[in-house]
Amino acid sequence: MQVSQVMTAHPVTVTPTQNVRDAAEIMKRIDTGFVPVGDNDRLVGMVTDRDIVVKGLAAGKDADCKISEVMTHEVLYCRDDEEVAAVARNMGENQVRRLPVVDRDKRLVGIVSLGDLSSDGDPSAAGVALEQISES
């Protein structure tokens, strides 16, 4: 089974020029702790609630600072045509609970989470990934 069959398509994104207040409001609205950062259909980073607090507020920045000032630029991702089991292994090895999904042109097309893998994909692979994530 491929990631495209289990991922959440059309993720909500923010741009690097938006402010962290925008990202926080989106996180609240969709009940998540992260949002992909996109620029012209391309994945350029991620911003998490932790990024906002640690790199933003704790560093003396206010809610009007740009997302580019607090986002994580180096992002792990997977491709939509990868096998679910391989992605689950990768998530476990890298200890992440969700990954942005890009197509072969590196356009952001979705998000895959451990929940997606366990409910729609391969529950045993998701279990192994979660076990690896929980070890640290």
Side-chain angles (χ1 to χ4, degrees):
M1 180 177 289
Q2 292 185 335
V3 170
S4 61
Q5 297 172 279
V6 299
M7 71 182 190
T8 301
H10 312 294
V12 175
T13 62
V14 292
T15 66
T17 58
Q18 284 181 269
N19 63 44
V20 296
R21 178 181 290 112
D22 294 336
E25 288 172 352
I26 288 169
M27 288 178 196
K28 179 181 177 186
R29 186 178 77 236
I30 64 175
D31 192 28
T32 190
F34 84 105
V35 179
V37 181
D39 191 15
N40 293 323
D41 236 7
R42 304 287 180 185
L43 179 67
V44 296
M46 296 286 285
V47 65
T48 66
D49 48 6
R50 180 173 169 77
D51 291 332
I52 292 170
V53 172
V54 174
K55 296 177 187 173
L57 300 175
K61 297 178 179 171
D62 65 23
D64 291 320
C65 78
K66 292 187 187 313
I67 289 171
S68 61
E69 296 178 47
V70 300
M71 72 184 207
T72 300
H73 294 270
E74 305 232 353
V75 179
L76 297 174
Y77 61 88
C78 64
R79 290 204 167 86
D80 58 351
D81 59 358
E82 287 184 69
E83 290 297 317
V84 166
V87 171
R89 276 192 307 277
N90 187 30
M91 290 171 78
E93 290 167 5
N94 289 288
Q95 298 190 323
V96 296
R97 295 176 183 270
R98 64 188 75 83
L99 285 175
V101 181
V102 297
D103 64 14
R104 285 289 168 185
D105 295 322
K106 293 203 175 177
R107 287 190 164 75
L108 180 66
V109 295
I111 299 288
V112 66
S113 69
L114 286 179
D116 296 329
L117 297 179
S118 65
S119 62
D120 298 325
D122 182 347
S124 62
V128 170
L130 182 58
E131 184 178 316
Q132 289 178 311
I133 291 167
S134 301
E135 285 178 356
S136 68

